[in-house]
């Protein structure tokens, strides 16, 4: 097909055609559902809130089961993320549920939100690495990306702590945050109303983006927009069953009465369960993939040097990016090589100069020692000459003394003879 034909074809309006009879592609949605059901679903919840705020109890209440829990100590040395994965089944639907606890968060010295941010990023990174593999297996990949962060607010009735605001601000571009007021049975109805308003206004004034239940799907738009106005949900958790009337209900029993978890006039637990599990679970999964993961992926790929357009805003393919990066890399390698060669030459020159200097110093030392040696030799020679002269003089004197001695001896030996002669005469 000629290029112009192709262009004309692609620019043509699509025409609506009527089918003569049943073809069968109306079963596509069913095929999709059946495939998803076979594959199963994964859903990952991150619980952030101070130690003992009621995270585990709420999870148990939400899923109507007992997850493994161990109480966190108030003396953890740092914030630690503890993921636990469970396989749940309802009818024929399998749910791989991961509950991640931010253990130690909010405890005196462990206020840091960084481990939480790092954990979320690591799950995105793992997914990205899988996506970038040549042989990908996303079909059976265990997706550990966090779909929702339940942020447990302490029921002070006062205002949000700065730690809450800082943490939520750090997390809001990475995860869907649903703020909830925990242990809502410990705060009075009028206080709770004011507290909710205060929290929402603080979140808005600090630019914290919390998850909004979607209102673009007609089927759920109404309920979601009503529920958005109820945020943050004030919840009560309990795994205890109490008899109310002739029914056993989950509740917390106090000397003055019973707080029923699933009674909407007592708390917002039902609203939370409805929104989180029954209406918006898929939207939370989708938002995680299309918004939060997409943002992470874009930043990461840009950081790695990938881009969609060149500086002239022309499309830039992966191949071109690769070539550019390769050239950049080779250039950098050459520059490094040259730098190292130059460094080596300089080092050799330096060492050579040092050796020469050492040689000169040694030579000077040698000359100096030689001079000292010659001087010493000359002095010794002089001393020897002096001694020789002294010896000669001594010898001369000795000979003279000896001659004198022998002469005087001779003289003394002749004197008695003369005396004898004189006597005779
Ligand atoms: P760690 O995992 O140790 O940080 O604690 P947690 O946040 O998981 O709290 P957990 O669910 O273990 O609850 C701590 C205590 O608070 C328990 O005694 C619960 O019975 C109690 N608790 C939990 N939910 C509520 C609630 O809604 N209201 C009240 N009043 N108490 C609650
Ligand atoms: Mg717990």
């Amino acid at each position: 097909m000629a290029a112009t034909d192709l262009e004309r074809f692609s620019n043509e309006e699509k025409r609506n055609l009527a089918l003569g009879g049943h073809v069968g592609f109306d079963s596509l949605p069913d095929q999709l559902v059946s495939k998803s059901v076979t594959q199963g679903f994964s859903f990952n919840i991150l619980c952030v809130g101070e130690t003992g705020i009621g995270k585990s109890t709420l999870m148990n209440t939400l899923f109507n089961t007992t997850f493994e829990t161990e109480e966190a100590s108030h003396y953890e040395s740092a914030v630690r993320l503890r993921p636990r994965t469970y396989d749940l089944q309802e009818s024929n639907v399998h749910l791989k549920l991961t509950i991640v606890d931010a253990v130690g968060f909010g405890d005196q010295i462990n206020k840091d939100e960084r481990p939480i941010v790092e954990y979320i990023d690591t799950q995105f990174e793992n997914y990205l690495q899988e996506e970038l593999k040549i042989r990908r297996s996303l079909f059976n990949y265990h997706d550990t990306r966090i779909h929702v962060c339940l942020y447990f607010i302490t029921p002070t009735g006062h205002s949000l702590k700065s730690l809450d605001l800082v943490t939520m601000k750090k997390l809001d571009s990475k995860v869907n945050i649903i703020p909830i007021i925990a242990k809502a049975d410990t705060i009075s109805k009028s206080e709770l109303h004011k507290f909710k308003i205060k929290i929402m206004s603080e979140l808005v004034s600090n630019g914290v983006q919390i998850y909004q239940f979607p209102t673009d799907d007609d089927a759920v738009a109404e309920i979601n927009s009503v529920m958005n106005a109820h945020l943050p949900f004030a919840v009560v958790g309990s795994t205890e069953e109490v008899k109310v009337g002739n029914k056993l209900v989950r509740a917390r029993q106090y000397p003055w009465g019973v707080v029923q978890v699933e009674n909407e006039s007592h708390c917002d637990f039902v609203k939370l369960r409805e929104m989180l599990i029954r209406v918006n679970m898929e939207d939370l999964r989708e938002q995680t993939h299309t918004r939060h993961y997409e943002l992470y992926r874009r930043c990461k790929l840009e950081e790695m040097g990938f881009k969609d357009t060149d500086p002239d805003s022309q499309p830039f393919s992966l191949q071109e990016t690769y070539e550019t990066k390769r050239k950049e890399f080779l250039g950098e390698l050459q520059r490094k090589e040259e730098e190292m060669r130059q460094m080596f030459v300089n080092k050799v020159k330096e060492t050579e100069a040092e050796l020469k200097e050492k040689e000169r110093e040694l030579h000077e030392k040698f000359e100096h020692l030689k001079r000292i040696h010659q001087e010493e030799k000359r002095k010794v020679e002089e001393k020897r000459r002096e001694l020789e002269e002294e010896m000669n003089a001594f010898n001369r004197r000795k000979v003279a003394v000896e001659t004198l001695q022998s002469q005087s001896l001779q003289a003394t030996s002749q004197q008695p003879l003369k005396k004898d002669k004189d006597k005779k005469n």
Side-chain angles (χ1 to χ4, degrees):
M1 205 184 285
T4 46
D5 285 345
L6 243 175
E7 265 166 39
R8 191 154 46 82
F9 187 76
S10 60
N11 288 338
E12 259 175 26
E13 290 260 315
K14 281 178 218 102
R15 283 177 292 160
N16 285 327
L17 290 179
L19 304 174
H22 181 245
V23 177
F25 60 76
D26 60 352
S27 69
L28 254 176
D30 300 333
Q31 293 176 31
L32 205 66
V33 169
S34 143
K35 196 172 166 191
S36 301
V37 167
T38 318
Q39 202 179 329
F41 299 86
S42 68
F43 192 64
N44 308 320
I45 305 178
L46 168 67
C47 294
V48 180
E50 63 186 48
T51 304
I53 192 73
K55 303 182 287 291
S56 306
T57 310
L58 188 76
M59 285 302 111
N60 289 343
T61 321
L62 269 175
F63 288 92
N64 206 1
T65 184
T66 312
F67 297 115
E68 300 162 54
T69 46
E70 59 202 56
E71 262 180 39
S73 130
H74 281 279
Y75 305 101
E76 292 272 344
S77 59
V79 177
R80 166 171 67 86
L81 280 290
R82 185 182 58 199
R84 294 241 161 97
T85 303
Y86 309 89
D87 264 318
L88 306 180
Q89 187 179 358
E90 191 166 48
S91 321
N92 61 342
V93 178
H94 288 269
L95 182 70
K96 195 180 262 188
L97 177 74
T98 301
I99 299 172
V100 186
D101 255 331
V103 182
F105 176 79
D107 274 341
Q108 290 97 25
I109 47 167
N110 310 321
K111 294 182 169 179
D112 217 314
E113 80 297 334
R114 273 174 300 178
I116 303 176
V117 174
E118 268 166 33
Y119 182 86
I120 295 174
D121 279 346
T122 308
Q123 311 319 307
F124 283 149
E125 184 60 32
N126 292 347
Y127 191 86
L128 180 65
Q129 287 307 323
E130 188 61 36
E131 254 192 357
L132 292 177
K133 273 185 189 168
I134 307 239
R135 286 163 184 265
R136 302 183 292 179
S137 53
L138 288 170
F139 176 75
N140 55 5
Y141 175 79
H142 178 203
D143 187 0
T144 54
R145 294 172 299 173
I146 299 295
H147 299 117
V148 66
C149 163
L150 291 182
Y151 196 96
F152 290 69
I153 298 167
T154 317
T156 57
H158 196 253
S159 61
L160 280 175
K161 293 185 206 160
S162 61
L163 170 68
D164 296 330
L165 287 168
V166 169
T167 307
M168 280 195 256
K169 186 83 203 113
K170 285 271 165 63
L171 297 182
D172 71 355
S173 61
K174 296 182 179 291
V175 67
N176 301 309
I177 302 175
I178 300 184
I180 52 182
I181 300 169
K183 298 190 178 177
D185 53 328
T186 61
I187 184 170
S188 79
K189 203 166 179 166
S190 59
E191 275 174 337
L192 182 64
H193 181 67
K194 283 190 218 142
F195 192 35
K196 277 193 178 191
I197 296 172
K198 185 95 199 258
I199 290 172
M200 286 318 279
S201 83
E202 278 184 328
L203 289 177
V204 171
S205 60
N206 285 281
V208 177
Q209 288 279 325
I210 58 165
Y211 173 70
Q212 291 292 306
F213 304 117
T215 49
D216 44 7
D217 177 357
D218 287 344
V220 289
E222 201 186 325
I223 182 162
N224 276 352
S225 58
V226 172
M227 290 298 161
N228 276 329
H230 272 93
L231 285 169
F233 295 137
V235 296
V236 173
S238 174
T239 42
E240 209 181 306
E241 296 206 310
V242 177
K243 199 157 189 182
V244 175
N246 50 8
K247 256 174 57 184
L248 268 180
V249 292
R250 269 181 300 163
R252 298 188 75 83
Q253 195 161 26
Y254 294 105
W256 54 88
V258 172
V259 181
Q260 295 169 35
V261 170
E262 295 186 49
N263 185 333
E264 286 203 57
S265 63
H266 290 187
C267 74
D268 300 330
F269 172 81
V270 170
K271 294 188 180 71
L272 174 67
R273 187 179 59 195
E274 198 72 12
M275 289 293 97
L276 178 71
I277 303 175
R278 302 186 180 175
V279 180
N280 296 307
M281 196 182 246
E282 182 50 26
D283 186 69
L284 286 161
R285 285 160 33 90
E286 200 180 300
Q287 293 285 325
T288 302
H289 187 68
T290 55
R291 242 180 75 211
H292 302 301
Y293 171 65
E294 204 57 28
L295 178 66
Y296 177 85
R297 181 181 172 277
R298 200 185 72 212
C299 295
K300 194 72 202 221
L301 292 184
E302 277 172 0
E303 209 176 273
M304 284 159 80
F306 293 103
K307 44 192 175 237
D308 292 331
T309 52
D310 65 9
D312 308 321
S313 309
Q314 294 301 310
F316 205 56
S317 72
L318 207 67
Q319 176 71 22
E320 284 167 307
T321 308
Y322 169 73
E323 288 295 339
T324 320
K325 271 271 141 194
R326 192 164 172 272
K327 270 191 205 137
E328 260 176 39
F329 175 72
L330 286 177
E332 178 72 0
L333 205 72
Q334 247 168 6
R335 199 184 55 72
K336 280 243 162 75
E337 230 175 65
E338 180 55 28
E339 215 176 85
M340 275 175 76
R341 204 181 59 77
Q342 199 54 45
M343 230 163 73
F344 180 72
V345 169
N346 289 347
K347 201 90 204 151
V348 168
K349 273 188 189 156
E350 257 173 44
T351 319
E352 229 172 54
E354 268 171 27
L355 279 174
K356 274 210 174 106
E357 179 62 23
K358 281 243 160 66
E359 194 183 325
R360 198 187 54 75
E361 275 173 17
L362 273 174
H363 193 72
E364 250 172 35
K365 231 182 204 159
F366 173 72
E367 287 297 322
H368 179 68
L369 284 174
K370 204 165 127 188
R371 272 199 304 279
I372 291 176
H373 173 72
Q374 275 170 354
E375 183 68 12
E376 292 283 313
K377 200 170 151 190
R378 193 187 55 75
K379 277 185 188 160
V380 169
E381 196 60 33
E382 209 164 274
K383 260 268 169 338
R384 194 176 62 83
R385 236 184 5 256
E386 275 173 17
L387 277 172
E388 260 176 18
E389 265 167 30
E390 256 176 52
M391 246 166 74
N392 286 344
F394 174 77
N395 282 341
R396 275 197 304 276
R397 271 207 305 276
K398 191 178 155 198
V399 171
V401 169
E402 276 172 1
T403 328
L404 269 175
Q405 266 178 348
S406 65
Q407 277 174 358
S408 68
L409 258 174
Q410 260 179 358
T412 45
S413 62
Q414 276 170 6
Q415 250 172 8
L417 281 174
K418 207 176 160 189
K419 268 184 190 168
D420 287 346
K421 241 182 205 175
D422 287 343
K423 268 185 190 169
K424 276 177 189 168
N425 288 336

